[in-house]
Every structure is written in C-alpha cells, then in structure tokens.
Amino acid sequence: MKRILAPLLLLALLCVCLTANAAGDTLRFDNRANTVGVGETLETILQRSGAPAEGTLTYESNNPRVVTVDSEGIVTGVSKGKATITAIVKTSNKTYKAQLSVSVVRKATGIDVDKQKLSILKADDPKLAGILKEGGEDLPVLMIPVKKSVTIKASATPMDVTNRKVKITSKNENIASVRGSAVTGRSAGETVLTIASEQNPEVSVSYRVLVVQPVTRVNAEPQNPRVAVGYQLELKASVQPANATVKGITWLSSNPTVATVDKDGVVTGKSKGNVRIYATATDGSNIRANINLRVTQPAEKISLQAAQQIVAVGKTVTLKANVLPSNTDDKSVVWTSSDAKVAKVDKHGRVTGVSVGTCEITCESATTPGVTASATVTVQQPVTKIVFDEAPGVFVGETSQLTWHIEPSNASDGSLTFKSSNPKVVAVDANGILTGLRRGEATITATSTDGSKRTAKIKVKVSVHATGVHMRRRAAYINVKESATCTADLEPKEAGDTRMTWTSDDPSVATASGDRNKVKITGVSEGVTTVRGVLLDGGFETSIEVHVGNWDKSVKLTHIDVDSIRGMLNGFTVKNVSSDLTITSVTCDVFFFTYKGADIPVNTKDGSGKVSVTFKKTLYPGDSGRWKFNGKNIKDFQMPEDDVPGWIEIRVTSFQIDNDWNKGIRESRQPKIEWK
C-alpha cells in the first residue's frame, strides 16, 4: 500500500497546537487531508491540546466497508464511497471526540476507446505499405481524411472510476487538431494522438494519426454484368484523384449466397438472383462503387404435382409443373399428350378428358431440351347423381340397410362414403348399414369417391318399438253422413312406427279408414258399433265405441234474458234435450248488432261483433242450465259506451259429452236464439 505523508501539514498543525495549548482543551482533525484512493492509505492529522493531549486515544470508522483506520490514525481506502473517522480520547474526568469525513475514490487504470466508427489499422497492414514514414512509432494507425473530422468516444476505466473523463491532445495541431472529442485532419501527414485520464494523466493510450488525401471516386467495370451459377467473372476498379494517399480497394458482395467476390474482384455465381458488388476505397473515406450483378440459373429438373391424375369425360383438370431449381430464369414449358383421342392438353397444362382410357401427358422445358416430366392420366365416366330409395325404418338396437342407385349406370367408380349428421342417434358404416343408437333423427349423406363430389341426403328416424296402444277418446258421437278423426296413442309415446289397420264391426253403421294412428270414422246410419285398430309393430289392438245419430239436436237454447232498456245481455238458458247423453259443457257464439244489423265491435282482439262463451255445467238428459252474462266473464269483451245493441243472437257451436267427446255443429245446423 502507498502511504501519503504530509510533513508540511504536520508542521503547520504543530504550530496550531502550540497556540491551542495556550487556549485550552482541543481535539480536532485537519480536514484538508480527507481523500484517499481505493487500496491506498492516508495518514490523518489530529490536533490535541490541553486535557485531550493526556488521555488514551483510539480511532473508529463508521463504515469499514469503505475505509478502515488503525490505532495510529492511518486510513486505508477499501471501496469507493464516504465514511466518517472518529478520534476518541478518554481522560479520568471526560471523553473527547473529533470526526473527519473521508472520501474514497477509484482511480483510473486504463482508457476505453470506441473504435466502431474509426478507421484504425495496424502499422504493418498491407494497405499502408509504402505510405507510413519510416522510423515512426509502432502504434495503431488512425486514418483521417483531410478536412474531415472524427469523434473520439473514450472514457477512463474501470466503470466505477471516480472521474471517467479523458483529455485528447495532438502532437502536431497543424496535421490534426483537437477540439474536445473531435479530431480534424488539417493537412496530409503524420502525428501522434494521446488520450489520457483527466484524473490520472499518467494513464493514457496513443495512436499514430495518418491524415490522408481521400479518395473522391471509385470507378468499376463492367456495369450490369451477368454470370451463370458456377461460373466466374473478373471485375476491375480504380480510384480518383490520382494523388490519393491510399489507392487500395476492398471487394464485398451484398449477398454471398447469390455471388461471392474475392480480394481481386473475381466474382463466382452461387445461386440465381440479383446481387450488388461493392468496390470500396481502403483509405477510410468509405467512397465506393456499386455494381449490380445478375446471376442466372438454367432449368435442371421438372416435377409435376401428381404422377397419376384422374379426369372425367368432358371435364378439365390442370397439371401444375414445378421447374427446378426454383430460381430458374426461364420456367416456360411445352405440354404434349400421347393420345389426344383420350385426353388433350393445352399450353397451360389444362387436361380435358375426351373418352374413357389412359394416356401420358408430358411437360418439357422450353429452353432446356431433354428436361421433362410425365403424368399418367386416366379418363373416367363420373357419377352424375346419387338417388336414395325410401328411408328404412330404424329401431334402437337394430340395423337396417340403406338402398340407392347411381346415375349413369356405367359410371367408372360407383363407390360411396357415408356420414351421419348425428352419430349418437344413428351410425352408418361403409356399406350403408344403419345402426339405431337412440331415439331421434339424423341425416345420412352419401358422397361419391370418384372425385365428382356428388352427394345425396336422406333423413332417417330412429324409433323405439311400441309396447301397447290405446284410444285417446272413450267413445265417438258422429252424425249420419259426417266424419270425425280419432287418434290412437302409442305406448310409449315415442314409439316410432305408427302404422295401423282399422276395421268397423258394423260398416252399415260406421266405416273406418286410415293407415296410421289416426282413423277417419264416417257415420252411415243411426246405431252403435265398434271401430278396432291393430298396430303393425307388435300387433297391439285398441278400439272405440262409435255412436251414430242426429246429435246436433241434443242441445237447445230455451231462453234469452236481455235488459230491454240498456239492450244488455243478462244471460241465457241451455237445455239437454237428448234422452241418453250427459253434456258437460256447451260453447256458444254471441253476436251483437245495431238496430240496422251492423256489427257492434265488442271483441277487443279482432274488432268484430262476436265473442265466444262456454257454459261449463253438467246437464243430464232433460236438464236445463242458465248462464249469467256480466261482461267480465268473457275473454276479449268490451261493450262500446256509445252503442246499444238492437239485436242479439246466440248460436251453439259445440258441446262436450262426458268430458271426453267434443261434438262440433255445422253452422247451418247450429241451434240459435235471438233478441230484437
């Protein structure tokens, strides 16, 4: 370690101490000695007089990581930063303290120069042969053009040095002058440039500066040359002015994968494309000439997208040729067919099927004879239509076969693929066999495999088998020469096969017709018979008793009650005039007219003068019942305030028998009652 001694300061301190002793008790540092370098030592100067001069003296550092202090008060710099040194004197009566703030600095050990934008060469570089003066210093050579400036970016190292600034000086300002970090070439010649630490000037680096007459132009030839892949071409270049200090040229290719160039300007073609060759002056002026070079590539091979191709009669398919290598200059080709009666080909490679058969289509390079490729073309008769037959019945857990036919019948390939739109409901295999998986519907799509892309669809319903059947109504009441439809409900209700046969025990009373679970019953003559239905799926049977008669006259309106002053309907009376029917409800239409017979718009829904009312009361044979009208017990009814009915008509439109059979009455036969 280095020790910094301060004899002059010590002498001065002794003088101060003599004075201080006379003045009284004193303990303090001379703060002019307060800076030390990392790894160096500093001898502190402490003034003691009076009582502090007699006591025991110790030293402390508040941050030993920055500075340490020994028992003699000698401070050692450990790391860059600041710390406080405390001197402590203990006497029998009192403790005295003095403090000194010490700064630890990092000194420069080297100079870092950014050479990225500087033209620096070794003294023995061939480019400088015959240019440098003999006997000059063996230093790196910094080249600067006359009347040009370069910026020297340099700093002291290491990174944590207290002062990183440097100072740049030129040995001969007439050759190269320095202003801050800018060095300017003044006149052609040589000098030495020194870059030194501002904090520690002994730390420095030097360069031999060569101020040159720069190149102002580079001429290269030939212009826009061409070279084939694998061949070479020699380029030439010269510099201007003739008295340029350095006349050397460096050659560079912008893309060596297309073309390379050696130090003598010899270019070698590598791959097809355009490349730029640069001829650059070596004097640091960066003056260059650009040569645009074209590397050409002939065809070497042709490959077709497919070696086998199928085309339909009358249809067209395009063969795509790939001329290799991919960077071939001229990729034009010529197409020919070995049998134009089977297939013909145009200049674009479009092949048209003429008749069923096989031929060869050949593709040849238009500029490189012998470079060919061929494809075998098979001409087929395509499928034009797929037609499914009737969809088969499919049940859960069972299989069924789809049936179909292909058009035309002489199609070259009639094979199909099948797909279910809902494979969780029904699955289909490659042979069109369906397997029911759960109840529901799915669409089966068949697609031709010959490339014609023809499709057909058929909807398939998957059902479950019936376990029984029953009629929805207990009995049917039908007028002579009238018909009614009755429904049979399958068990379970999701059973899918609703086909049934229907018969009447006495066709002279009523006939039955239908092939599903709905039967049409037609009254022939008054009487009673039974209509029976048999379910084809399982043979389950059901029946309904049919009564044929004149049932429209079973209900009669016997009385209408109207407030004659207000013309307001209060109610009406209904009577069961049949001898053996139990009527459980009666539905009527009520019409409101003016005195002149015009509708009064009482129906708030459609604006008509008609509303429907239902009398819900059981009427046994001979019973009568009165229905009370209050205006609020009818849906969609509102009597206009400015209209008073002059005519009210009530018609029976239907009635229900035993809460089971609803008997509708034709308008011409509807019982009615009026008030005017």
Side-chain angles (χ1 to χ4, degrees):
M1 297 183 180
K2 297 179 181 179
R3 175 173 293 184
I4 301 175
L5 300 178
L8 294 178
L9 290 176
L10 181 59
L11 180 61
L13 181 58
L14 291 174
C15 295
V16 173
C17 289
L18 292 175
T19 306
N21 285 336
D25 298 337
T26 301
L27 180 68
R28 63 170 174 263
F29 282 103
D30 185 343
N31 59 13
R32 290 174 295 178
N34 64 352
T35 301
V36 64
V38 174
E40 296 181 347
T41 61
L42 170 67
E43 185 175 355
T44 59
I45 301 172
L46 182 67
Q47 179 183 351
R48 299 172 62 185
S49 63
E54 301 300 329
T56 301
L57 172 63
T58 60
Y59 293 91
E60 291 182 355
S61 170
N62 75 331
N63 193 348
R65 294 183 179 181
V66 176
V67 295
T68 61
V69 61
D70 65 9
S71 60
E72 300 298 323
I74 297 174
V75 173
T76 301
V78 178
S79 63
K80 183 179 174 181
K82 288 187 176 182
T84 299
I85 302 300
T86 303
I88 305 170
V89 175
K90 292 184 177 181
T91 66
S92 57
N93 298 324
K94 186 176 181 181
T95 298
Y96 297 88
K97 292 184 180 181
Q99 291 186 328
L100 175 66
S101 178
V102 177
S103 296
V104 180
V105 298
R106 174 73 71 180
K107 294 187 176 181
T109 60
I111 302 296
D112 179 35
V113 179
D114 184 358
K115 303 175 183 178
Q116 187 174 359
K117 296 183 179 181
L118 301 178
S119 179
I120 298 176
L121 303 174
K122 292 183 179 180
D124 59 355
D125 192 296
K127 298 176 184 178
L128 301 176
I131 298 175
L132 292 177
K133 295 179 181 179
E134 294 184 3
E137 296 184 52
D138 189 14
L139 297 171
V141 178
L142 171 61
M143 296 176 59
I144 303 176
V146 173
K147 298 182 181 179
K148 297 291 183 180
S149 297
V150 296
T151 299
I152 306 294
K153 294 182 179 180
S155 59
T157 60
M159 291 291 292
D160 61 344
V161 66
T162 301
N163 184 354
R164 298 199 68 196
K165 293 182 179 181
V166 297
K167 183 177 181 180
I168 305 172
T169 58
S170 172
K171 191 174 182 179
N172 188 340
E173 288 274 338
N174 294 323
I175 300 296
S177 61
V178 179
R179 296 295 182 272
S181 61
V183 180
T184 304
R186 295 299 180 185
S187 61
E190 295 181 26
T191 186
V192 174
L193 194 72
T194 300
I195 306 171
S197 166
E198 189 178 84
Q199 177 180 294
N200 305 100
E202 68 276 9
V203 178
S204 66
V205 294
S206 296
Y207 291 91
R208 188 173 180 178
V209 176
L210 176 63
V211 179
V212 300
Q213 176 61 50
V215 172
T216 59
R217 181 181 178 86
V218 175
N219 299 315
E221 58 181 22
Q223 288 297 313
N224 301 316
R226 287 174 176 260
V227 65
V229 172
Y231 289 84
Q232 292 184 328
L233 174 68
E234 184 178 1
L235 302 177
K236 295 185 179 296
S238 60
V239 301
Q240 291 179 345
N243 65 340
T245 305
V246 180
K247 295 182 173 63
I249 295 291
T250 59
W251 295 91
L252 178 68
S253 169
S254 65
N255 190 348
T257 62
V258 176
T260 60
V261 60
D262 67 11
K263 62 183 181 62
D264 298 316
V266 177
V267 175
T268 301
K270 294 295 184 180
S271 62
K272 177 195 169 183
N274 295 314
V275 65
R276 182 168 288 182
I277 304 298
Y278 301 107
T280 305
T282 60
D283 66 346
S285 62
N286 292 323
I287 300 297
R288 70 184 184 186
N290 301 332
I291 304 172
N292 295 318
L293 180 74
R294 172 73 174 172
V295 180
T296 59
Q297 175 66 60
E300 296 178 359
K301 182 181 178 181
I302 297 175
S303 66
L304 297 181
Q305 190 177 32
Q308 303 286 334
Q309 189 68 57
I310 297 174
V311 63
V313 173
K315 298 296 182 180
T316 297
V317 65
T318 299
L319 294 177
K320 293 184 178 180
N322 185 21
V323 180
L324 299 174
S326 60
N327 56 357
T328 299
D329 282 82
D330 189 347
K331 293 187 177 183
S332 58
V333 294
V334 178
W335 296 89
T336 56
S337 171
S338 64
D339 190 347
K341 293 181 180 179
V342 174
K344 58 184 180 179
V345 61
D346 66 10
K347 64 180 181 179
H348 302 293
R350 287 192 293 264
V351 179
T352 303
V354 178
S355 62
V356 175
T358 302
C359 68
E360 293 292 320
I361 301 297
T362 301
C363 174
E364 183 174 20
S365 169
T367 56
T368 311
V371 178
T372 64
S374 297
T376 300
V377 174
T378 301
V379 181
Q380 294 184 345
Q381 173 59 56
V383 172
T384 59
K385 190 175 183 181
I386 305 169
V387 181
F388 276 112
D389 299 332
E390 183 178 358
V394 184
F395 291 90
V396 173
E398 298 180 1
T399 61
S400 296
Q401 176 68 59
L402 288 170
T403 59
W404 65 89
H405 64 273
I406 300 296
E407 297 179 7
S409 59
N410 67 337
S412 299
D413 182 2
S415 59
L416 306 176
T417 60
F418 299 92
K419 183 178 181 181
S420 172
S421 66
N422 194 342
K424 292 183 179 180
V425 172
V426 60
V428 59
D429 67 9
N431 299 312
I433 297 177
L434 304 171
T435 301
L437 300 177
R438 71 182 187 191
R439 188 177 67 87
E441 289 185 347
T443 298
I444 304 300
T445 302
T447 304
S448 61
T449 61
D450 64 351
S452 61
K453 298 182 181 180
R454 298 297 179 184
T455 62
K457 296 179 184 292
I458 187 170
K459 185 173 287 187
V460 174
K461 183 176 182 180
V462 179
S463 309
V464 296
H465 284 297
T467 59
V469 64
H470 64 272
M471 296 303 298
R472 188 173 295 177
R473 307 294 182 190
R474 295 187 298 272
Y477 295 84
I478 303 173
N479 288 351
V480 175
K481 297 183 180 181
E482 289 187 354
S483 299
T485 298
C486 297
T487 301
D489 291 331
L490 276 61
E491 303 167 7
K493 63 181 180 180
E494 59 265 21
D497 191 350
T498 61
R499 293 175 297 166
M500 295 183 70
T501 59
W502 296 93
T503 58
S504 171
D505 286 358
D506 188 350
S508 66
V509 175
T511 61
S513 62
D515 59 0
R516 296 288 175 179
N517 62 327
K518 291 183 183 293
V519 58
K520 181 180 179 182
I521 303 175
T522 303
V524 179
S525 62
E526 293 188 8
V528 179
T529 187
T530 299
V531 170
R532 304 181 189 278
V534 178
L535 188 64
L536 267 62
D537 181 18
F540 300 102
E541 183 177 342
T542 187
S543 63
I544 186 170
E545 187 176 74
V546 178
H547 300 262
V548 179
N550 189 12
W551 308 113
D552 292 349
K553 297 182 180 180
S554 299
V555 177
K556 184 177 181 181
L557 296 170
T558 61
H559 181 71
I560 182 171
D561 182 11
V562 179
D563 184 340
S564 59
I565 296 176
R566 297 185 301 114
M568 196 64 198
L569 176 66
N570 293 324
F572 57 86
T573 302
V574 181
K575 184 175 182 179
N576 180 355
V577 296
S578 68
S579 60
D580 56 359
L581 297 182
T582 298
I583 297 174
T584 52
S585 71
V586 179
T587 299
C588 302
D589 282 345
V590 182
F591 299 87
F592 294 86
F593 303 101
T594 64
Y595 287 103
K596 296 182 179 181
D599 281 358
I600 296 176
V602 298
N603 192 316
T604 58
K605 188 174 183 179
D606 61 14
S608 68
K610 180 185 78 172
V611 292
S612 294
V613 299
T614 300
F615 176 69
K616 293 184 178 181
K617 184 177 181 182
T618 300
L619 300 176
Y620 295 101
D623 285 354
S624 296
R626 184 173 183 275
W627 186 81
K628 295 182 180 180
F629 181 91
N630 60 23
K632 296 181 180 180
N633 57 352
I634 302 178
K635 185 180 180 180
D636 302 322
F637 174 83
Q638 179 68 49
M639 178 63 72
E641 295 181 359
D642 55 350
D643 281 322
V644 176
W647 176 11
I648 299 175
E649 179 180 289
I650 304 174
R651 291 174 174 266
V652 178
T653 58
S654 65
F655 59 92
Q656 194 174 66
I657 302 170
D658 292 331
N659 287 320
D660 180 63
W661 183 264
N662 192 63
K663 180 67 182 73
I665 305 175
R666 293 182 183 178
E667 184 177 352
S668 61
R669 303 179 65 179
Q670 293 173 353
K672 66 178 180 178
I673 190 170
E674 296 179 342
W675 172 85
K676 291 187 179 181

